[in-house]
């Protein structure tokens, strides 16, 4: 039996790309895939779809394997091979998310940058957009299909390709800080910051290549904490959560 849902928030964006890191799929401090976490994120995504948002999702794979870290710890694995292994980890997450969403009643398509027709469609831009227009969630896995490219950069590229109104980066922290808040208790959170300031201050929120793609195309980025229930819906509704990265803005800290 389903609980009666709270009223849906009015979305501020029509088409959204949501970047889910691998840690979304597991409990804090653990690895693998947690069914409870998967059901929680699926429920939040369903609410977005019910509000009329066109949603594409780029999956990370760090809960299973991070190619860069794997190659650095094992001289037996070629770095390119390790990155391909990491891309396949994102497909595993994509398959799990697809089934969880469909079990929740959400029409879903999984598309991959590496062709594997037995489990997913190949990524084709026009087909992806058509799915979105029909109200289907499109899960985009396998990064860009090339090694040495992060899933953040894949998310930025796909945002440009599908003409997304905003790139949402769901993380375990509630925005961008002046320093690592876990190491520096005096670090302050920015409510808004420009692409240029993120790059100049060397704030480790996304790799520089991903930021440059968004900056060139004027795609705003919102970094927020996905672990707070309802935050994904609040982000799409344009509420004041997390940190917004915008083309030109005077950097503002919270409070």
């Amino acid at each position: 039996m389903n609980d009666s849902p709270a009223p849906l928030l009015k979305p501020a964006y029509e088409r959204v790309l949501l970047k889910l890191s691998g840690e979304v799929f597991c409990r804090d401090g653990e690895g693998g895939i947690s069914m409870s976490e998967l059901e929680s994120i699926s429920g939040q995504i369903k609410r977005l779809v019910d509000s009329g948002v066109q949603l594409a999702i780029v999956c990370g794979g760090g809960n299973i394997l991070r190619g860069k870290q794997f190659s650095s710890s094992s001289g037996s694995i070629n770095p390119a091979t390790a990155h391909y292994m990491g891309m396949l980890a994102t497909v595993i997450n994509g398959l799990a998310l697809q089934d969880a969403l469909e079990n929740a009643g959400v029409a879903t398509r999984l598309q991959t940058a590496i062709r594997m027709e037995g489990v997913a469609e190949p990524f084709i831009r026009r087909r992806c957009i058509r799915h979105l227009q029909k109200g289907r969630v499109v899960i985009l896995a396998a990064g860009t299909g090339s090694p040495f490219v992060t899933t953040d950069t894949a998310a930025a590229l796909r945002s440009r390709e599908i003409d997304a109104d905003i790139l949402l980066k769901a993380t375990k922290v509630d925005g961008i800080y002046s320093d690592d808040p876990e190491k520096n208790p005096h670090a302050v959170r920015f409510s808004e910051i420009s692409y240029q300031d993120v790059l100049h201050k060397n704030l480790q929120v996304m790799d520089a290549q991903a930021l440059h793609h968004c900056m060139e195309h004027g795609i705003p980025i919102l970094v927020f904490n996905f672990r707070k229930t309802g935050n994904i819906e609040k982000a799409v509704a344009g509420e004041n959560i997390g940190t917004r990265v915008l083309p030109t803005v005077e950097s503002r800290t919270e409070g």
Side-chain angles (χ1 to χ4, degrees):
M1 179 180 293
N2 295 327
D3 295 330
S4 298
L8 296 175
L9 297 175
K10 183 178 180 180
Y13 309 100
E14 180 180 2
R15 183 174 296 164
V16 171
L17 190 136
L18 174 64
K19 165 66 196 311
L20 295 179
S21 64
E23 56 199 11
V24 168
F25 294 85
C26 60
R27 294 187 181 91
D28 196 19
E30 298 182 4
I33 297 175
S34 163
M35 293 301 103
S36 61
E37 296 297 322
L38 199 58
E39 290 171 2
S40 174
I41 199 73
S42 297
Q44 294 185 62
I45 290 170
K46 176 176 171 53
R47 288 177 58 79
L48 289 187
V49 176
D50 289 345
S51 71
V53 173
Q54 295 181 15
L55 183 65
I57 301 172
V58 168
C59 294
N63 58 312
I64 298 172
L65 183 147
R66 293 184 186 276
K68 184 177 180 180
Q69 294 176 352
F70 189 78
S71 63
S72 64
S73 64
S74 174
S76 301
I77 304 294
N78 183 281
T81 301
H83 277 263
Y84 281 114
M85 292 167 66
M87 284 184 250
L88 294 179
T90 72
V91 178
I92 294 173
N93 283 340
L95 285 167
L97 182 58
Q98 180 182 42
D99 271 18
L101 285 171
E102 291 186 343
N103 185 61
V106 180
T108 310
R109 294 293 185 273
L110 175 63
Q111 296 191 336
T112 59
I114 300 174
R115 298 184 73 93
M116 49 185 80
E117 282 86 342
V119 296
E121 298 178 0
F123 172 73
I124 299 172
R125 174 182 172 274
R126 292 173 66 90
R127 181 182 293 176
C128 176
I129 291 174
R130 186 59 178 152
H131 286 321
L132 295 173
Q133 291 171 338
K134 289 185 175 182
R136 300 165 183 153
V137 171
V138 182
I139 302 169
L140 303 169
T144 65
S146 299
F148 313 115
V149 180
T150 69
T151 49
D152 279 349
T153 294
L157 284 169
R158 297 301 187 229
S159 295
R160 294 184 66 172
E161 288 182 276
I162 68 171
D163 295 320
D165 297 318
I166 191 169
L167 167 55
L168 303 181
K169 181 176 168 66
T171 71
K172 61 181 180 180
V173 295
D174 57 349
I176 302 173
Y177 284 78
S178 58
D179 198 1
D180 187 340
E182 295 183 359
K183 298 178 180 178
N184 180 1
H186 302 294
V188 294
R189 181 173 71 84
F190 296 98
S191 57
E192 291 185 348
I193 191 169
S194 68
Y195 304 113
Q196 293 89 343
D197 280 349
V198 173
L199 293 167
H200 292 161
K201 296 176 187 292
N202 195 30
L203 302 176
Q204 302 299 311
V205 60
M206 298 179 90
D207 61 273
Q209 191 175 11
L211 282 164
H212 278 294
H213 280 299
C214 290
M215 182 167 59
E216 289 172 5
H217 202 59
I219 300 172
I221 303 167
L222 177 63
V223 181
F224 67 99
N225 184 353
F226 72 87
R227 291 201 182 278
K228 292 183 179 178
T229 302
N231 262 6
I232 295 178
E233 187 181 359
K234 290 178 181 178
V236 174
E239 293 198 5
N240 186 26
I241 64 168
T243 301
R244 295 181 185 279
V245 186
L246 303 167
T248 304
V249 66
E250 182 179 347
S251 297
R252 298 191 335 221
T253 56
E254 188 68 16

